[in-house]
Amino acid sequence: MPQGLQVQPEQPVRNVKSPLAIAIGEFWKSYRKNKPAIVGTVIVLFFILLAVFADFIAPQGINDQNIGHKLLPPSAAHWFGTDDFGRDIFSRILFGARLSLRVGFLSVIGSIIVGTLLGTVAGYFGKILDVVISRIFDILLAFPSILLSIAIVAILGPSLNNALVAIAIVNVPVFGRLVRSRVLTVKEEEYVMAARSIGMGDARIIFQHVLPNSVAPIIVQGTLNIATAILDAAGLGFLGMGAQAPLPEWGKMLSDSREYIQTAPWTVLFPGLAIVLVVVGFNLIGDGLRDALDPRMKN
């Protein structure tokens, strides 16, 4: 080797983060600064854990009756008291969390799937498809959501599953119009035009370019709509159109206990408080996601 030449030691290869990892890191960095969103996340995770482990936490079965212990106030034996059948309210609220969260998540997932499909077709292809689908959305949005849900359940029959279907149908136009407006904007972007110019098919453009750039508002709206779905399920249950006895759905528990609101207020207080906390938790998460995912909300 000629004198004066030195061999440079090999530099270690650094791990390069993928764009997805960078995006997730930026999202979490922004999201965790939002204290109300963190509080909402803690509340929702708390109720999810209660629902998952209800079989191990609940001191009694949801239908274990003891007429001698009916309408007992909160105590060490019954943390939230008992109802008019002597059933432990704490146990019923734990299992009721399963029902309410299931309705919230499944109804919103169904609404997102159908609404995204219809909104994408309307926004991307336009013309007569856009007119027909948009008019269907307008008709559904012309009715108050709770009244339309009641009408659908009246046709299908009162039950928790039918209430879930009704809530999903009512929320379809919300996601459909959101996705349609986003698709109308994204499909005019330069990268979409470039993909179309090189012969890329419509299906590939939609799934590789249009939908991935429309996910953020769907996530935010979906989180907020979970809270709305839980409220709608509770409203239908309160009116006798949702969950039927003896299911421990929170709205049904409120309905069954409304005549004891003065003599045994705990029978109404704790189911109502559970509804309020879960709804507030999802709303706080939705606001935090909006702030973290929307570039316009960042400094």
Side-chain angles (χ1 to χ4, degrees):
M1 178 181 296
Q3 294 183 355
L5 294 178
Q6 297 180 355
V7 178
Q8 296 293 333
E10 294 184 1
Q11 296 292 331
V13 179
R14 297 182 178 179
N15 293 327
V16 179
K17 292 184 177 180
S18 66
L20 179 60
I22 295 174
I24 293 175
E26 290 294 327
F27 161 76
W28 175 244
K29 182 179 179 181
S30 176
Y31 184 81
R32 68 183 181 183
K33 293 180 181 179
N34 192 320
K35 302 303 180 184
I38 297 299
V39 172
T41 303
V42 171
I43 293 174
V44 171
L45 288 178
F46 175 72
F47 275 92
I48 290 176
L49 290 176
L50 290 181
V52 171
F53 297 104
D55 293 306
F56 305 98
I57 301 174
Q60 295 183 11
I62 58 174
N63 294 316
D64 291 349
Q65 301 181 17
N66 189 338
I67 301 301
H69 290 171
K70 69 177 183 178
L71 298 178
L72 292 179
S75 63
H78 303 283
W79 290 1
F80 290 175
T82 61
D83 62 10
D84 54 323
F85 288 99
R87 297 173 297 191
D88 185 72
I89 295 177
F90 177 68
S91 300
R92 291 177 62 79
I93 287 179
L94 291 180
F95 286 96
R98 287 185 178 179
L99 301 178
S100 295
L101 292 174
R102 179 167 70 90
V103 170
F105 281 109
L106 292 183
S107 63
V108 169
I109 290 173
S111 300
I112 289 176
I113 293 174
V114 178
T116 299
L117 175 62
L118 295 177
T120 302
V121 171
Y124 188 84
F125 295 102
K127 298 181 180 179
I128 187 64
L129 288 175
D130 187 16
V131 174
V132 172
I133 294 175
S134 296
R135 296 296 78 77
I136 293 174
F137 290 162
D138 292 340
I139 292 172
L140 292 176
L141 290 173
F143 297 93
S145 59
I146 188 64
L147 292 182
L148 183 57
S149 299
I150 292 174
I152 295 173
V153 173
I155 296 172
L156 299 178
S159 71
L160 185 63
N161 289 333
N162 290 340
L164 189 156
V165 172
I167 295 169
I169 293 174
V170 168
N171 287 324
V172 164
V174 175
F175 293 98
R177 296 186 70 175
L178 177 66
V179 173
R180 175 184 174 274
S181 64
R182 183 61 183 168
V183 170
L184 287 173
T185 301
V186 173
K187 76 173 185 177
E188 301 300 331
E189 296 290 344
E190 294 181 356
Y191 56 86
V192 175
M193 294 182 179
R196 192 180 292 115
S197 66
I198 62 175
M200 185 177 292
D202 291 332
R204 190 174 176 185
I205 292 175
I206 290 173
F207 287 104
Q208 289 192 5
H209 297 292
V210 176
L211 288 181
N213 287 284
S214 307
V215 169
I218 296 175
I219 294 175
V220 175
Q221 187 63 44
T223 306
L224 296 173
N225 270 61
I226 291 175
T228 304
I230 292 174
L231 275 178
D232 289 344
L236 291 172
F238 185 84
L239 296 173
M241 304 293 289
Q244 301 297 303
L247 291 178
E249 195 271 326
W250 293 338
K252 181 62 177 173
M253 292 176 66
L254 288 175
S255 176
D256 294 339
S257 303
R258 65 182 184 273
E259 61 182 289
Y260 305 106
I261 192 170
Q262 293 183 342
T263 57
W266 57 86
T267 59
V268 177
L269 172 63
F270 293 110
L273 186 61
I275 296 173
V276 170
L277 287 176
V278 172
V279 171
V280 169
F282 278 109
N283 283 332
L284 292 177
I285 292 176
D287 291 339
L289 291 175
R290 180 198 59 198
D291 296 344
L293 295 174
D294 190 348
R296 295 172 297 180
M297 302 298 294
K298 300 178 182 178
N299 295 324

